[in-house]
Amino acid sequence: WLGLIGQFRPKKLISAIKTELQSADELELPVFRDAAKHFLDKSLYSVALATQLSLSPSTSLLWSTERQGEKKVNSAKFQSFASFQSNCIGILLPDHDITLDAAWPELFMDRKGKYWEVPESISLDMSSLPSDSGLQYHFGIHKNSGHPQAFNALDGEAPSALMPGLCAKAAFSYQKSKDIWRRKETKEDLIIKTDKGSYWRPSYDVRLREPHAAISGIIGGTCTAWFGKGSKNVESQSEDNIPTTNNKRSPLSADFFGSACYTFQHGQFRKLYGDLTRVDARLDLSSLSSFAKRIFKSSSANKSLSSPRLNLIFQQQVAGPIVFRVDSKLLLDSKAGKLGPHIEDVIYSLSYSLRLLRSGKVVAWYSPKRKEGMIELRLFEF
């Protein structure tokens, strides 16, 4: 398939026309003519072309290129994805995904919601598919070229993982979940009998069809090796408009992480009102070594890694397939001299579930902290 995407910036156009009209002494025809010329400003427009070629049911190639009017350089992205299960390669690597990604440039978002643009990013990853045992692993090689630029911020320190270099990564995790209680879906739930007859009434979303309370946990480890001259330290740069960092980057590092989650859901999400209330609470610890150093050595370094994070998700049915949702991320640490946890990010969203797609929905969300919003069509949400 082939897709063409266009973008237009009306806020910038309105601001330019407003400035043009306010600076004019008299509103004559030449003034309106100059104001109309702003419609031809290339910086107001962006265009992107994307194409995907399916080589087999489990292998596909994706290529996209984008041209922004305010930039002279085009951006491009290539992705090759293969899932091996039953073919000849699948005999040697059963139930694995292999992905090759390359982008010029590529956008990354750090923990604070800031976007960083890396001039060149190439990665090759192999990961195991989810299994009943709960064990998963991931291997990858990643290479960054050029210095990252802050995309939506004027200051800040770029993450050391985005600085130039070649690294090899390996990770494993073990996940287990247990239901405290769960009400299974029955035929009586699907078929409703009335005076006019019986009719089929499935849940608006198959993932939300069973009320339950459950706990789950995940524990895992990571290992990273950096190669090249810049593997020991990330040196500060003196060039203009290049973020500097003095973070030390060890050539070889290993760490452990873990999460604990509790989920409670009331309702089957099939009636018109009051049939869905769900709360998800997950506590994440991204770096066990940083957390241990902070406790036993009273070290204040790497607060973003050593501090636990609490993710809270609240969902409430408004009417029929419409659901209001709040996603919040809390850092359990002090900030700017203030004691106690503080909010890192919060997202408000309103979704309309599409029953015919089983788990498809139209979602409109907004993040006040990042001042970012979007309307999305999600065909299936895991």
Side-chain angles (χ1 to χ4, degrees):
W1 57 262
L2 184 69
L4 183 65
I5 306 111
Q7 185 185 54
F8 173 63
R9 299 177 176 87
K11 185 177 180 180
K12 186 175 182 180
L13 174 63
I14 295 173
S15 178
I17 294 177
K18 184 179 179 181
T19 303
E20 184 78 29
L21 296 177
Q22 289 179 348
S23 61
D25 297 332
E26 297 181 1
L27 297 180
E28 298 179 351
L29 182 60
V31 177
F32 290 101
R33 188 179 301 167
D34 294 337
K37 291 181 180 179
H38 289 285
F39 284 91
L40 303 178
D41 187 1
K42 294 182 179 180
S43 63
L44 299 174
Y45 306 94
S46 297
V47 63
L49 183 67
T51 180
Q52 178 174 329
L53 175 64
S54 296
L55 303 179
S56 70
S58 60
T59 306
S60 62
L61 302 175
L62 182 107
W63 171 268
S64 63
T65 180
E66 179 182 353
R67 176 62 185 266
Q68 297 187 18
E70 57 189 5
K71 293 185 178 181
K72 296 182 179 180
V73 181
N74 294 350
S75 60
K77 186 172 184 178
F78 169 79
Q79 183 183 68
S80 174
F81 173 79
S83 179
F84 302 117
Q85 295 182 1
S86 59
N87 50 22
C88 58
I89 301 181
I91 298 176
L92 301 176
L93 297 172
D95 300 330
H96 284 74
D97 285 341
I98 296 181
T99 306
L100 173 64
D101 284 292
W104 308 269
E106 178 68 298
L107 279 180
F108 295 91
M109 187 175 69
D110 61 15
R111 296 181 181 274
K112 298 180 181 179
K114 294 182 179 179
Y115 288 96
W116 297 89
E117 186 178 80
V118 178
E120 181 182 317
S121 176
I122 303 175
S123 61
L124 176 63
D125 296 287
M126 183 186 74
S127 61
S128 62
L129 297 178
S131 61
D132 296 335
S133 64
L135 179 64
Q136 286 185 263
Y137 51 88
H138 183 108
F139 303 97
I141 299 176
H142 189 83
K143 182 180 183 297
N144 288 334
S145 300
H147 297 279
Q149 303 283 345
F151 190 79
N152 59 347
L154 298 178
D155 56 355
E157 189 176 88
S160 59
L162 300 183
M163 299 304 287
L166 174 67
C167 74
K169 295 182 179 181
F172 75 92
S173 65
Y174 178 76
Q175 183 176 4
K176 204 69 177 177
S177 62
K178 182 177 180 59
D179 290 338
I180 301 175
W181 62 268
R182 179 181 291 270
R183 181 189 169 189
K184 293 290 186 179
E185 186 181 52
T186 61
K187 292 183 179 179
E188 288 76 10
D189 296 327
L190 292 172
I191 300 176
I192 305 300
K193 296 181 179 181
T194 63
D195 297 336
K196 297 181 180 180
S198 301
Y199 64 95
W200 185 52
R201 188 183 65 178
S203 175
Y204 291 108
D205 191 326
V206 295
R207 300 182 310 107
L208 304 173
R209 61 186 176 183
E210 296 181 348
H212 68 280
I215 56 174
S216 62
I218 181 172
I219 187 172
T222 61
C223 181
T224 305
W226 288 90
F227 304 95
K229 297 180 180 179
S231 61
K232 294 184 178 180
N233 294 296
V234 181
E235 301 293 343
S236 299
Q237 304 295 326
S238 59
E239 300 179 25
D240 296 336
N241 300 325
I242 293 181
T244 59
T245 177
N246 294 316
N247 291 339
K248 292 184 178 180
R249 191 168 67 186
S250 175
L252 182 64
S253 62
D255 208 344
F256 292 92
F257 60 88
S259 297
C261 181
Y262 173 76
T263 301
F264 173 81
Q265 177 180 323
H266 168 74
Q268 297 177 298
F269 195 35
R270 63 180 76 247
K271 299 179 181 179
L272 289 178
Y273 300 101
D275 200 27
L276 176 65
T277 300
R278 176 165 174 149
V279 178
D280 295 82
R282 189 181 77 245
L283 183 65
D284 295 332
L285 186 61
S286 58
S287 176
L288 183 60
S289 61
S290 299
F291 183 70
K293 288 179 181 179
R294 188 172 181 183
I295 292 179
F296 296 107
K297 296 184 180 181
S298 299
S299 174
S300 60
N302 294 327
K303 281 189 176 182
S304 62
L305 294 178
S306 62
S307 301
R309 283 177 169 80
L310 181 63
N311 296 269
L312 297 175
I313 301 176
F314 173 75
Q315 299 182 72
Q316 177 61 53
Q317 181 186 24
V318 178
I322 302 175
V323 176
F324 173 71
R325 173 168 170 165
V326 180
D327 295 62
S328 59
K329 296 181 181 179
L330 290 84
L331 182 65
L332 304 182
D333 194 7
S334 59
K335 178 184 179 182
K338 298 180 181 179
L339 299 178
H342 64 274
I343 297 177
E344 281 192 317
D345 194 12
V346 60
I347 298 176
Y348 302 98
S349 63
L350 204 63
S351 64
Y352 186 93
S353 297
L354 304 173
R355 181 177 273 170
L356 293 177
L357 296 180
R358 294 176 58 84
S359 189
K361 62 185 65 176
V362 178
V363 182
W365 61 266
Y366 178 72
S367 172
K369 194 174 183 67
R370 300 202 306 261
K371 295 181 180 180
E372 182 179 14
M374 189 174 295
I375 298 178
E376 301 175 349
L377 172 62
R378 301 177 184 176
L379 298 182
F380 191 88
E381 187 174 8
F382 295 93

